[in-house]
Amino acid sequence: MPVRGGALTSHAVRSPRRCSRNGCPRQAVATLTYVYAESTAVVGPLAAYQEPHTYDLCEPHALSLTAPRGWELVRHDGEFEPPPPTTDDLVALAEAVREAARPAPRQPSPEPPAGPPTPGRRGHLRVIPPA
């Protein structure tokens, strides 16, 4: 977990899932799933894990969603609650705090400028001094 200038990088702590609608910055509280065989769209509480063929929605988008013509819409009754923090989130936060508290690694001291080459053997090459 890199720490730069005392600030955590974006991948240090996992951010909450966001609404799948373009340009919507809100936190997701519901999951939309299509059941193509039954021409049904289902809006329910936020799924525990993101799936490839589902869409996470914020509350306004989950409540205002309409189904395509000829489709049935099944919507969760009740309020959509934001998900509680998971233990993964808490562990990631604790690791980020530990990483931020570690002292910065010491920078190596600069090497002195190279002087004239000294005669001798270096690896598989041999330095021959000028005559």
Side-chain angles (χ1 to χ4, degrees), residues 16-42:
R17 286 160 48 186
R18 299 283 174 206
C19 183
S20 296
R21 297 290 298 261
N22 285 340
C24 183
R26 295 184 198 100
Q27 182 179 6
V29 295
T31 298
L32 167 64
T33 306
Y34 289 106
V35 183
Y36 293 97
E38 298 175 14
S39 299
T40 304
V42 180

CSV table of all heavy atoms in Angstrom, one decimal, residues 16-42:
chain,number,residue,atom,x,y,z
A,16,PRO,N,-16.7,2.6,-1.4
A,16,PRO,CA,-18.0,1.9,-1.5
A,16,PRO,C,-18.4,1.8,-3.0
A,16,PRO,O,-18.0,2.6,-3.8
A,16,PRO,CB,-18.9,2.8,-0.7
A,16,PRO,CG,-18.3,4.1,-0.6
A,16,PRO,CD,-16.8,3.8,-0.7
A,17,ARG,N,-19.3,0.9,-3.3
A,17,ARG,CA,-19.8,0.7,-4.6
A,17,ARG,C,-20.7,1.9,-5.0
A,17,ARG,O,-21.5,2.4,-4.2
A,17,ARG,CB,-20.6,-0.6,-4.8
A,17,ARG,CG,-19.6,-1.8,-4.8
A,17,ARG,CD,-20.2,-3.1,-4.4
A,17,ARG,NE,-21.4,-3.5,-5.1
A,17,ARG,CZ,-22.1,-4.6,-4.7
A,17,ARG,NH1,-21.6,-5.4,-3.8
A,17,ARG,NH2,-23.2,-4.9,-5.3
A,18,ARG,N,-20.5,2.4,-6.2
A,18,ARG,CA,-21.2,3.5,-6.7
A,18,ARG,C,-22.3,3.1,-7.7
A,18,ARG,O,-22.3,2.0,-8.2
A,18,ARG,CB,-20.3,4.5,-7.5
A,18,ARG,CG,-19.2,5.0,-6.6
A,18,ARG,CD,-19.7,6.1,-5.7
A,18,ARG,NE,-18.7,6.5,-4.8
A,18,ARG,CZ,-19.0,7.1,-3.6
A,18,ARG,NH1,-20.2,7.2,-3.3
A,18,ARG,NH2,-18.0,7.4,-2.8
A,19,CYS,N,-23.3,4.0,-7.9
A,19,CYS,CA,-24.4,3.7,-8.8
A,19,CYS,C,-23.8,3.5,-10.2
A,19,CYS,O,-22.9,4.2,-10.7
A,19,CYS,CB,-25.3,5.0,-8.8
A,19,CYS,SG,-26.7,4.8,-9.9
A,20,SER,N,-24.4,2.6,-11.0
A,20,SER,CA,-23.9,2.2,-12.3
A,20,SER,C,-24.4,3.2,-13.4
A,20,SER,O,-23.9,3.2,-14.5
A,20,SER,CB,-24.4,0.8,-12.7
A,20,SER,OG,-23.9,-0.2,-11.9
A,21,ARG,N,-25.3,4.1,-13.1
A,21,ARG,CA,-25.8,5.0,-14.0
A,21,ARG,C,-24.7,6.0,-14.3
A,21,ARG,O,-24.0,6.5,-13.4
A,21,ARG,CB,-27.0,5.8,-13.5
A,21,ARG,CG,-28.2,4.9,-13.3
A,21,ARG,CD,-28.9,4.4,-14.5
A,21,ARG,NE,-29.4,5.4,-15.4
A,21,ARG,CZ,-30.7,5.8,-15.4
A,21,ARG,NH1,-31.6,5.2,-14.7
A,21,ARG,NH2,-31.0,6.8,-16.2
A,22,ASN,N,-24.5,6.4,-15.6
A,22,ASN,CA,-23.5,7.3,-16.1
A,22,ASN,C,-23.6,8.6,-15.4
A,22,ASN,O,-24.7,9.2,-15.3
A,22,ASN,CB,-23.5,7.5,-17.6
A,22,ASN,CG,-23.0,6.3,-18.3
A,22,ASN,OD1,-22.3,5.5,-17.8
A,22,ASN,ND2,-23.3,6.3,-19.6
A,23,GLY,N,-22.5,9.1,-14.8
A,23,GLY,CA,-22.4,10.4,-14.2
A,23,GLY,C,-23.0,10.5,-12.8
A,23,GLY,O,-23.0,11.5,-12.2
A,24,CYS,N,-23.5,9.4,-12.2
A,24,CYS,CA,-24.1,9.4,-10.9
A,24,CYS,C,-23.0,9.1,-9.9
A,24,CYS,O,-22.5,8.0,-9.9
A,24,CYS,CB,-25.3,8.4,-10.8
A,24,CYS,SG,-26.1,8.5,-9.2
A,25,PRO,N,-22.8,10.0,-8.9
A,25,PRO,CA,-21.7,9.8,-7.9
A,25,PRO,C,-22.2,9.2,-6.6
A,25,PRO,O,-21.5,9.0,-5.7
A,25,PRO,CB,-21.3,11.3,-7.7
A,25,PRO,CG,-22.5,12.1,-7.8
A,25,PRO,CD,-23.3,11.4,-8.9
A,26,ARG,N,-23.5,8.9,-6.6
A,26,ARG,CA,-24.1,8.4,-5.3
A,26,ARG,C,-23.7,6.9,-5.0
A,26,ARG,O,-23.4,6.2,-5.9
A,26,ARG,CB,-25.6,8.5,-5.3
A,26,ARG,CG,-26.2,9.9,-5.4
A,26,ARG,CD,-27.7,9.9,-5.4
A,26,ARG,NE,-28.2,11.1,-5.8
A,26,ARG,CZ,-28.7,11.3,-7.1
A,26,ARG,NH1,-28.7,10.3,-7.9
A,26,ARG,NH2,-29.2,12.5,-7.4
A,27,GLN,N,-23.8,6.6,-3.7
A,27,GLN,CA,-23.5,5.2,-3.3
A,27,GLN,C,-24.6,4.3,-3.7
A,27,GLN,O,-25.8,4.7,-3.6
A,27,GLN,CB,-23.3,5.2,-1.8
A,27,GLN,CG,-22.9,3.9,-1.2
A,27,GLN,CD,-22.7,3.9,0.3
A,27,GLN,OE1,-22.9,4.9,0.9
A,27,GLN,NE2,-22.3,2.8,0.8
A,28,ALA,N,-24.3,3.1,-4.1
A,28,ALA,CA,-25.3,2.1,-4.5
A,28,ALA,C,-25.9,1.5,-3.3
A,28,ALA,O,-25.3,1.2,-2.3
A,28,ALA,CB,-24.6,1.0,-5.3
A,29,VAL,N,-27.3,1.3,-3.4
A,29,VAL,CA,-28.0,0.7,-2.3
A,29,VAL,C,-28.9,-0.4,-2.8
A,29,VAL,O,-29.6,-1.1,-2.0
A,29,VAL,CB,-28.9,1.7,-1.5
A,29,VAL,CG1,-28.0,2.7,-0.8
A,29,VAL,CG2,-29.9,2.4,-2.4
A,30,ALA,N,-29.0,-0.6,-4.1
A,30,ALA,CA,-29.8,-1.6,-4.7
A,30,ALA,C,-29.1,-2.3,-5.9
A,30,ALA,O,-28.2,-1.7,-6.4
A,30,ALA,CB,-31.1,-1.0,-5.2
A,31,THR,N,-29.6,-3.5,-6.3
A,31,THR,CA,-29.0,-4.2,-7.4
A,31,THR,C,-30.2,-4.5,-8.4
A,31,THR,O,-31.2,-5.0,-8.0
A,31,THR,CB,-28.4,-5.5,-6.9
A,31,THR,OG1,-27.3,-5.2,-6.1
A,31,THR,CG2,-27.8,-6.3,-8.1
A,32,LEU,N,-29.9,-4.2,-9.7
A,32,LEU,CA,-30.8,-4.5,-10.7
A,32,LEU,C,-30.4,-5.7,-11.5
A,32,LEU,O,-29.2,-5.8,-11.9
A,32,LEU,CB,-30.9,-3.3,-11.7
A,32,LEU,CG,-31.6,-3.5,-13.1
A,32,LEU,CD1,-33.1,-3.9,-12.9
A,32,LEU,CD2,-31.4,-2.3,-14.0
A,33,THR,N,-31.3,-6.7,-11.7
A,33,THR,CA,-31.0,-7.9,-12.4
A,33,THR,C,-32.1,-8.1,-13.4
A,33,THR,O,-33.2,-7.9,-13.1
A,33,THR,CB,-30.9,-9.1,-11.4
A,33,THR,OG1,-30.0,-8.8,-10.4
A,33,THR,CG2,-30.5,-10.4,-12.1
A,34,TYR,N,-31.7,-8.5,-14.6
A,34,TYR,CA,-32.6,-8.9,-15.7
A,34,TYR,C,-32.8,-10.4,-15.8
A,34,TYR,O,-31.8,-11.1,-15.8
A,34,TYR,CB,-32.2,-8.3,-17.0
A,34,TYR,CG,-32.3,-6.8,-17.1
A,34,TYR,CD1,-31.1,-6.0,-17.1
A,34,TYR,CD2,-33.5,-6.2,-17.2
A,34,TYR,CE1,-31.2,-4.7,-17.2
A,34,TYR,CE2,-33.6,-4.8,-17.4
A,34,TYR,CZ,-32.5,-4.1,-17.3
A,34,TYR,OH,-32.6,-2.7,-17.5
A,35,VAL,N,-34.0,-10.9,-15.8
A,35,VAL,CA,-34.3,-12.3,-16.1
A,35,VAL,C,-34.9,-12.3,-17.5
A,35,VAL,O,-36.1,-12.2,-17.7
A,35,VAL,CB,-35.2,-12.9,-15.0
A,35,VAL,CG1,-35.4,-14.4,-15.3
A,35,VAL,CG2,-34.7,-12.6,-13.6
A,36,TYR,N,-34.0,-12.5,-18.4
A,36,TYR,CA,-34.4,-12.4,-19.8
A,36,TYR,C,-35.4,-13.5,-20.2
A,36,TYR,O,-36.3,-13.2,-21.0
A,36,TYR,CB,-33.2,-12.5,-20.8
A,36,TYR,CG,-32.3,-11.3,-20.6
A,36,TYR,CD1,-31.1,-11.4,-19.8
A,36,TYR,CD2,-32.5,-10.1,-21.3
A,36,TYR,CE1,-30.3,-10.3,-19.7
A,36,TYR,CE2,-31.7,-9.0,-21.2
A,36,TYR,CZ,-30.6,-9.1,-20.4
A,36,TYR,OH,-29.8,-8.0,-20.2
A,37,ALA,N,-35.3,-14.7,-19.7
A,37,ALA,CA,-36.2,-15.8,-20.1
A,37,ALA,C,-37.6,-15.5,-19.7
A,37,ALA,O,-38.6,-15.9,-20.3
A,37,ALA,CB,-35.8,-17.1,-19.4
A,38,GLU,N,-37.8,-14.7,-18.6
A,38,GLU,CA,-39.1,-14.3,-18.1
A,38,GLU,C,-39.5,-12.9,-18.4
A,38,GLU,O,-40.5,-12.4,-17.9
A,38,GLU,CB,-39.2,-14.6,-16.6
A,38,GLU,CG,-39.0,-16.1,-16.3
A,38,GLU,CD,-39.0,-16.3,-14.8
A,38,GLU,OE1,-39.4,-15.4,-14.0
A,38,GLU,OE2,-38.5,-17.4,-14.4
A,39,SER,N,-38.7,-12.1,-19.1
A,39,SER,CA,-38.9,-10.7,-19.4
A,39,SER,C,-39.2,-9.9,-18.1
A,39,SER,O,-40.2,-9.2,-18.0
A,39,SER,CB,-40.1,-10.5,-20.4
A,39,SER,OG,-39.7,-11.2,-21.6
A,40,THR,N,-38.3,-10.1,-17.2
A,40,THR,CA,-38.5,-9.5,-15.8
A,40,THR,C,-37.3,-8.7,-15.4
A,40,THR,O,-36.2,-9.2,-15.6
A,40,THR,CB,-38.9,-10.6,-14.8
A,40,THR,OG1,-40.0,-11.3,-15.2
A,40,THR,CG2,-39.1,-9.9,-13.4
A,41,ALA,N,-37.5,-7.6,-14.9
A,41,ALA,CA,-36.4,-6.8,-14.3
A,41,ALA,C,-36.6,-6.8,-12.7
A,41,ALA,O,-37.8,-6.6,-12.3
A,41,ALA,CB,-36.4,-5.4,-14.8
A,42,VAL,N,-35.6,-7.1,-12.0
A,42,VAL,CA,-35.7,-7.2,-10.5
A,42,VAL,C,-34.8,-6.2,-9.9
A,42,VAL,O,-33.6,-6.2,-10.1
A,42,VAL,CB,-35.4,-8.7,-10.0
A,42,VAL,CG1,-35.5,-8.8,-8.5
A,42,VAL,CG2,-36.2,-9.7,-10.7
